[in-house]
Amino acid sequence: MIDIGYFALCLALLASGYGVIASAVGARRRQLGLVRSGENAVLATCALLTIAVVALWQALLFHDFQVEYVAENSNRSMPLFYLVTALWGGQNGSLLFWGWILSLYSASVVALYRQRYRELMPYVVATLAFTSFFFCIVHLFAADPFQQLSFTPPDGRGLNPILQHPVMAIHPPLLYLGMVGMVVPFAFAIAALLSGKLDTTWLRASRRWTLIPWTFLGFGLLLGGKWAYVELGWGGYWAWDPVENSSLMPWLVATAFLHSIMIQERKGMLKVWNLALAILTYELCIFGTFMTRSGIISSVHAFAQSNIGPFFATFLIFSLVFSFGLLWLRLPLLKADNRLESFASRETAFLLNNWVLLGMLFAVFWGTVFPLVSEAFTGEQITVGAPFFNQVNIPIGLVLLLLTGAGPLFAWRRTSNESLRKNFTTPVTAGLIFVGILFALGLRDLYALLSFGLCAFVTIALGTEFHHGTRARMRSTSENYPMALYRLCAKSRRRYGGYLTHLALVLLFVGFTGKAFTQEFEFVLEKGTSRQVGNYQLSFESLAFAEASNHSTTAAALGLHRDGEFLGTLLPERRYYPAFDQGTTEVSIYSTLREDFYVILVGSAADHSAKFKVYINPLINFVWLGSIVFVLGALWAMWPTPRDRRLARVDRASAVGLLVPRKRPHHA
Amino acid sequence: MRRHKFTLGSIVIAAGLLYLFVASVQQSTATHLTLQNLIIKSPGDSQRIQLGGGTVVPGSIEWDQYHSRPEFTITDGEHTLKVRYTGNAVLPDTFKDKALVVLEGEYHQTNNTFTADVVFAKCPSKYEGQSYDGHVQAMNDGNS
């Protein structure tokens, strides 16, 4: 089976290489046969990579320890679930998984657009096939997942217990689905540049293909934060680690792209900008992969130093030069159809939003690569810590928050002073009143006041949008309020799904702001005693030692009370896994929407006294709540509408020319 | 005219961002040094150092009775350095013998010690740093 897998990889290399040539030549010579052949090569690549992935899975599930990857990343005692996820547990397997997802995306694009976007598709296919070709080279020559050992060990090393957590099993695939998926809008951008078909067709094709990976990436980032919070025991969820940053950066640019698409669709402006954003998003994904896996920046997450660095660096430089060079050559064709007409317009708000997101990107990028830059200039690596990222991103983030609420209140082209006053009065008043209340309650932190005030402003602004739309609908139909609201949102999914993600951002910011009020305690308790911790009383009831099948554990039982009321028993643990010589901290959390009471058992002494660390994290659950709303909003926005289906029919019917097969079904 | 206004606005925003960057960078930097460079350059006591490339000497970790605030020794194979942890956070689970650590804190040249308030640790077995032979060796050691 292993040999079959390896052989499939070799064939995939050939198939994808052929796909590039067939599509490119077919497009130049306008030969439909070749173009179709190139598309089939992409489908074949996908099938072959699927075989390779199945082969590796088979080796993992059946404990074929002669395969180095299997021996290093699994063992006999691992449950089935983690054997399956071990496919992406190590470097080589995760790269294969990456290449496989890429081929799945590519095959989906080919299968869906057999009749659509015919002028672009050959170039799209060539770009996708080229990327697959590159990954096949990496699989075969730099990170072979099927590498065999000269002997068969009796058992493998297995998976580190820290990573044995369900979230950790799905967090990487989500990030991969996000990072890899950005290749599709990139391919459409390149196709638009190569074919010279630079109208909004490529944008229309790539909007949903951006939205899908954007959602995966965003959700993956938030899940990673959740894992860090419950598993790593430092009470936080985001550390501005280079690896975290490298997946945040493409997300920021993709967010900017999703917004600026709308300006081009409506106004024919920002053509160059949109192409640049699509390219940049993709390049940042490759850059992130390169950074994570080449070891140029020290990070806790980073994979071991390996020889794939030069491969990715070469690919990165080639694709950067190629795509931006192409963009430069096409500049004369990319004149804007319109100009901004007024400051007080939706366009300006979008433009500002793009500026803010790119500013954030630049801040994160700067902080991440600063050690390299400073080394180049001064010979010393100067690192910047989390305070830098927070200091820069908090003010920028607050402007972004303002825009999520203010943007929708502006009309396209220009907004009259009167309607400005009408739209802004209620939300601004609400924000100010809220700030006043919080100030009266004793809140003095400037950023927190600003943030909460803006959250109130945005909520009311968006709420009013929903409300007014619903009322208008009720006047013209006989629907009741909930029905009118539902129909309204279902009719313009893109708009109201978008607003929903804006509300998710509000929830996230409420959670982020709570971070400013985190309380931290560290203390020793004797067994049987209790102590006041913040507004809570904590009593140390017992300490137990136990042996489980693969670990031993020390657990403390703590009773938690507030104002005399019993809230529950907390059971923080310290575990020890002898097979890995690995201790793990199992935190225990009493969670309410208002705050988390987060307790860590630091250690216990011989006299059964123990040291605890407690974090009281106000509002943190709003972050997780925001994550859910974010996904719901994004799903709502990307769901196909009748209009999409109609457009697809029109596209298919109007796709005339050499690249369309003679015998096509007539729908229209 | 309108065009100029937009350009002006963009410049103001860009300048604001730039100021934010410069002001913030100055406040949270540390110089990244390897153990070898630290000993050669021996920076002053007050300079914040990020020290990389050292691993924890097996058996050198001395916890207090509650398994917190350890003292330990790190090595790069050539030099060794005694470290005292003074930070507030609970050390990551990956901190143990042979772990690759990145420390942040100050170096004291007089007695060749390092006071760290931040410790990042990467367990060498977490990712594929070790060869498989090393693993077999470790398994044998564990069995004997």
Side-chain angles (χ1 to χ4, degrees), chain A residues 90-91 153 155 157 301 340-341 362 381 383 385 388 391 522 524 580-583 585 603 609 611 613, chain B residues 2 6 17 21 24-25 27-32 50 66 68-69 88 93 96 121-122 127-128 130 132 135:
Chain A
Q91 168 107 286
D155 199 357
R157 188 161 63 189
H301 283 67
L340 279 181
E341 292 172 46
F362 190 64
Q381 279 204 8
T383 60
F388 164 77
Q391 240 170 16
E522 191 178 281
V524 171
F580 293 88
D581 181 29
Q582 176 72 65
T585 315
S609 64
K611 190 178 213 174
K613 178 131 198 143
Chain B
R2 175 154 289 139
F6 275 106
L17 279 176
F21 280 15
S24 307
V25 153
Q27 289 177 22
S28 65
T29 55
T31 307
H32 183 92
Q50 188 190 63
Y66 295 110
S68 64
R69 308 269 146 69
N88 270 326
D93 294 334
K96 59 183 188 185
K122 189 158 76 175
Y127 299 113
E128 299 162 16
Q130 273 179 340
Y132 192 79
H135 162 61

Side-chain angles (χ1 to χ4, degrees), chain A residues 11 15 19 31 106 146 187 222 270 286 313 407 466 546 552 561 576 613 651 664:
Chain A
L11 288 180
Q31 286 179 356
S106 310
F146 298 114
L222 290 162
L270 301 185
I286 299 290
F466 279 97
S552 57
H561 291 75
Y576 179 70
K613 178 131 198 143
D651 276 351
R664 70 189 146 81

Side-chain angles (χ1 to χ4, degrees), chain B residues 14 42 50-51 103 122 142:
Chain B
S42 62
Q50 188 190 63
L51 183 61
L103 311 171
K122 189 158 76 175

Side-chain angles (χ1 to χ4, degrees), chain A residues 5 32 88 153 198 251 404 426 462 526 568 596 603 647:
Chain A
L32 178 63
W88 52 82
L198 290 159
W251 188 84
T404 55
T426 325
L462 294 174
E526 304 283 329
D596 272 8
L647 272 176

Side-chain angles (χ1 to χ4, degrees), chain A residues 15-16 19 23 37-47 103 106-107 110 125-126 128-129:
Chain A
S16 51
S23 306
S37 178
E39 293 182 353
N40 292 338
V42 165
L43 298 178
T45 308
C46 179
S103 76
S106 310
V110 165
V125 171
L128 293 172

Side-chain angles (χ1 to χ4, degrees), chain A residues 102-427:
Chain A
L102 171 67
S103 76
L104 288 173
Y105 270 115
S106 310
S108 315
V109 171
V110 165
L112 280 172
Y113 296 155
R114 284 247 169 198
Q115 316 286 341
R116 297 183 71 184
Y117 307 119
R118 291 321 307 171
E119 280 173 78
L120 297 174
M121 273 309 278
Y123 298 102
V124 172
V125 171
T127 312
L128 293 172
F130 182 77
T131 316
S132 273
F133 180 72
F134 164 72
F135 270 91
C136 286
I137 290 180
V138 172
H139 300 325
L140 287 170
F141 301 110
D144 180 6
F146 298 114
Q147 186 75 44
Q148 299 200 354
L149 295 163
S150 54
F151 60 104
T152 306
D155 199 357
R157 188 161 63 189
L159 182 69
N160 189 305
I162 300 176
L163 298 174
Q164 294 194 13
H165 187 279
V167 170
M168 229 24 208
I170 52 172
H171 160 68
L174 282 175
L175 286 186
Y176 292 171
L177 281 164
M179 306 262 264
V180 180
M182 295 302 178
V183 73
V184 182
F186 169 76
F188 272 99
I190 293 297
L193 287 169
L194 281 172
S195 67
K197 189 170 167 54
L198 290 159
D199 56 9
T200 53
T201 317
W202 78 273
L203 279 181
R204 204 145 50 79
S206 47
R207 187 188 75 91
R208 195 161 280 131
W209 287 107
T210 311
L211 211 48
I212 293 168
W214 177 78
T215 311
F216 279 127
L217 195 55
F219 192 52
L221 284 169
L222 290 162
L223 262 187
K226 176 84 181 167
W227 171 78
Y229 181 67
V230 298
E231 199 68 2
L232 292 185
W234 55 286
Y237 46 85
W238 187 264
W240 297 108
D241 179 274
V243 173
E244 292 169 351
N245 294 348
S246 68
S247 33
L248 175 66
M249 288 190 283
W251 188 84
L252 290 173
V253 186
T255 312
F257 180 59
L258 284 170
H259 287 90
S260 66
I261 282 177
M262 282 180 260
I263 307 191
Q264 188 174 341
E265 279 180 327
R266 290 233 174 197
K267 310 279 296 178
M269 292 156 56
L270 301 185
K271 292 176 180 173
V272 180
W273 181 251
N274 278 323
L275 286 160
L277 287 183
I279 295 169
L280 190 61
T281 307
Y282 173 72
E283 300 294 350
L284 283 169
C285 290
I286 299 290
F287 176 73
T289 320
F290 166 64
M291 265 206 333
T292 326
R293 291 156 186 274
S294 65
I296 56 161
I297 288 178
S298 63
S299 149
V300 239
H301 283 67
F303 280 85
Q305 210 145 357
S306 72
N307 52 353
I308 65 166
F311 283 82
F312 273 89
T314 313
F315 184 67
L316 184 66
I317 291 168
F318 169 77
S319 60
L320 268 174
V321 170
F322 178 80
S323 25
F324 281 106
L326 199 59
L327 182 59
W328 189 72
L329 287 176
R330 291 292 189 197
L331 276 183
L333 296 176
L334 289 164
K335 294 253 165 23
D337 304 341
N338 282 297
R339 286 234 178 113
L340 279 181
E341 292 172 46
S342 157
F343 274 118
S345 66
R346 183 75 66 87
E347 293 92 311
T348 317
F350 274 136
L351 206 59
L352 256 178
N353 139 306
N354 268 245
W355 266 88
V356 167
L357 283 164
L358 269 271
M360 232 174 196
L361 164 80
F362 190 64
V364 177
F365 183 80
W366 184 247
T368 311
V369 301
F370 195 75
L372 299 180
V373 177
S374 64
E375 190 178 23
F377 284 99
T378 66
E380 271 187 347
Q381 279 204 8
I382 311 283
T383 60
V384 291
F388 164 77
F389 291 103
N390 288 331
Q391 240 170 16
V392 175
N393 283 312
I394 288 173
I396 306 181
L398 289 176
V399 178
L400 187 68
L401 183 61
L402 169 72
L403 287 172
T404 55
L409 301 182
F410 287 106
W412 289 97
R413 291 191 61 199
R414 64 176 74 239
T415 319
S416 68
N417 285 342
E418 190 198 348
S419 80
L420 270 184
R421 209 174 305 119
K422 203 178 98 213
N423 289 344
F424 275 88
T425 307
T426 325

Side-chain angles (χ1 to χ4, degrees), chain A residues 387-402 431 434-435 438-439 443-456 509-517 619, chain B residues 16-17 19-21 23-24 27:
Chain A
F388 164 77
F389 291 103
N390 288 331
Q391 240 170 16
V392 175
N393 283 312
I394 288 173
I396 306 181
L398 289 176
V399 178
L400 187 68
L401 183 61
L402 169 72
F434 196 56
V435 170
L438 291 173
F439 192 83
L443 185 69
R444 290 294 181 276
D445 185 302
L446 176 67
Y447 277 150
L449 280 172
L450 266 173
S451 173
F452 285 135
L454 285 170
C455 284
F509 266 84
V510 171
F512 296 161
T513 311
K515 194 81 194 136
F517 305 99
L619 305 174
Chain B
L17 279 176
Y19 170 74
L20 204 58
F21 280 15
S24 307
Q27 289 177 22

